[in-house]
Amino acid sequence: MAIKVEHLTHIYGQGTAFEQYALKDVGFTIEDGQFVGLIGHTGSGKSTLIQHLNGLLRATSGHIYYNGEDIYGEGYDRKTLRSKVGLVFQYPEHQLFEVDVFADVCFGPRNLGLPKEEVEERARAALAQVGLDESFYKQSPFELSGGQKRRVAIAGVLAMAPEVLILDEPTAGLDPKGRDEILDEISMLHKEKHMTIILVSHSMEDMARYADRLLVMDRGEKVYDDLPKNVFRHYKELEKIGLAAPQITYVVHELKEHGVDIPDDLTTVEEARDAILKVIRS
Ligand code: ADP
Ligand code: MG
């Protein structure tokens, strides 16, 4: 498996008046090539959790294994871990700073100490993966649209050639078109490059569509870890922790309550459409 987390606890400001439990005894494993959705109300610990997975934050207690190796073990190479587990922060465009797009994407691989040709090769490949062609290379990142800026930032992480890609709300604040483009590109990386993906999102529709599995956080604790359709069966409990199921799940439940014979674990519009057509035609 790619990542194993055991009894992970994180306390911010331990021993101060501001002591804050952000994670409490969290455990899970993520297999290579999975697409995992991470959901939870604001403050539930999602960002804190993912920053542990690439070694940026250190656990107060607990263990994390990457490809079977203890990342807190003596002599473990945490610098390499940061390139293997790529983390795209929330609003990553705030971290763009180079004069042009190409230079910005080169920054990470150059820092790894790779030769110039390989740095540039990786930057070109990463920009192509996020759908930005050569006409963008010499543009200032600050002149791009919101969606384009965000794609440059994602390319900067992809250029590190990560095995696992973690994205913290990559579509926040984008218009629907920009959102769909980014999610489709992430989905391609998963399908074609078999990259392991961990996606933090507030959109239950996106989770139902893309994730193989959902981890649900509430006040620092993991409360569900299952297939999206199994998690969304608990929509009443999800509402109590500030979440919900995809809209279509509610429609399906209403139909069922009105006597329509249709499965109640449908979570995407396409599934519901097919099931409704089946009822109509039967
Ligand atoms: P989420 O990403 O799900 O919104 P966070 O991981 O950002 O949640 O936050 C979890 C908890 O930890 C919250 O109560 C938050 O206020 C607290 N927290 C987050 N970052 C810090 C920090 N740097 N210092 C102190 N407390 C923090
Ligand atoms: Mg967050």
Side-chain angles (χ1 to χ4, degrees):
M1 92 294 294
I3 298 172
K4 181 170 184 163
V5 171
E6 283 179 348
H7 304 296
L8 177 61
T9 292
H10 189 89
I11 307 172
Y12 285 109
Q14 193 174 24
T16 73
F18 305 100
E19 192 169 282
Q20 170 81 38
Y21 263 89
L23 296 173
K24 285 180 216 159
D25 200 24
V26 174
F28 55 83
T29 62
I30 293 176
E31 306 293 337
D32 281 324
Q34 266 192 336
F35 192 129
V36 179
L38 179 57
I39 62 176
H41 194 261
T42 303
S44 61
K46 305 179 298 293
S47 297
T48 302
L49 174 60
I50 57 180
Q51 289 175 72
H52 283 79
L53 303 183
N54 79 340
L56 216 52
L57 282 178
R58 191 172 172 115
T60 305
S61 61
H63 290 281
I64 299 173
Y65 301 89
Y66 185 67
N67 288 333
E69 282 186 272
D70 182 351
I71 72 164
Y72 301 134
E74 209 174 315
Y76 185 83
D77 182 1
R78 276 193 293 279
K79 183 159 184 272
T80 303
L81 179 70
R82 280 192 207 168
S83 65
K84 297 284 171 224
V85 181
L87 176 57
V88 179
F89 286 93
Q90 215 170 342
Y91 299 104
E93 59 274 24
H94 296 165
Q95 286 156 19
L96 300 174
F97 59 93
E98 292 281 353
V99 289
D100 64 47
V101 164
F102 195 72
D104 208 286
V105 177
C106 285
F107 180 81
R110 189 181 313 119
N111 247 7
L112 292 177
L114 299 169
K116 188 167 183 281
E117 295 73 47
E118 188 174 351
V119 168
E120 295 187 351
E121 181 48 42
R122 282 192 181 194
R124 275 192 291 274
L127 283 161
Q129 277 166 355
V130 299
L132 296 175
D133 64 27
E134 284 179 27
S135 67
F136 288 96
Y137 287 11
K138 292 295 157 201
Q139 290 193 40
S140 161
F142 304 101
E143 288 163 1
L144 303 176
S145 73
Q148 289 164 345
K149 275 185 199 156
R150 199 151 303 168
R151 279 142 77 191
V152 172
I154 294 172
V157 173
L158 289 175
M160 308 283 278
E163 297 165 343
V164 178
L165 181 64
I166 307 178
L167 303 114
D168 198 351
E169 303 195 28
T171 58
L174 298 183
D175 59 27
K177 181 164 170 280
R179 248 190 46 196
D180 289 349
E181 283 170 357
I182 286 193
L183 290 173
D184 285 343
E185 281 147 13
I186 295 166
S187 173
M188 292 262 273
L189 290 167
H190 175 240
K191 289 203 183 103
E192 290 175 7
K193 311 249 171 222
H194 307 289
M195 204 178 266
T196 306
I197 309 278
I198 303 173
L199 176 67
V200 179
S201 172
H202 275 115
S203 163
M204 301 304 141
E205 275 69 26
D206 293 344
M207 288 307 187
R209 174 175 303 276
Y210 295 106
D212 303 323
R213 170 178 164 203
L214 282 185
L215 291 177
V216 185
M217 299 294 297
D218 178 37
R219 286 170 292 176
E221 293 183 67
K222 187 187 88 172
V223 289
Y224 295 108
D225 179 354
D226 208 334
L227 300 176
K229 66 174 182 168
N230 291 341
V231 170
F232 291 136
R233 264 186 237 279
H234 302 281
Y235 64 99
K236 290 192 178 120
E237 288 81 6
L238 291 175
E239 285 168 7
K240 287 187 196 129
I241 60 172
L243 300 172
Q247 295 273 306
I248 197 70
T249 302
Y250 293 90
V251 174
V252 165
H253 278 271
E254 287 263 321
L255 286 171
K256 208 170 168 74
E257 276 167 32
H258 284 80
V260 180
D261 180 23
I262 131 176
D264 63 0
D265 63 350
L266 306 176
T267 57
T268 67
V269 172
E270 289 75 16
E271 283 173 347
R273 177 199 59 202
D274 293 347
I276 291 167
L277 285 174
K278 209 170 146 194
V279 171
I280 291 172
R281 286 172 182 161
S282 66

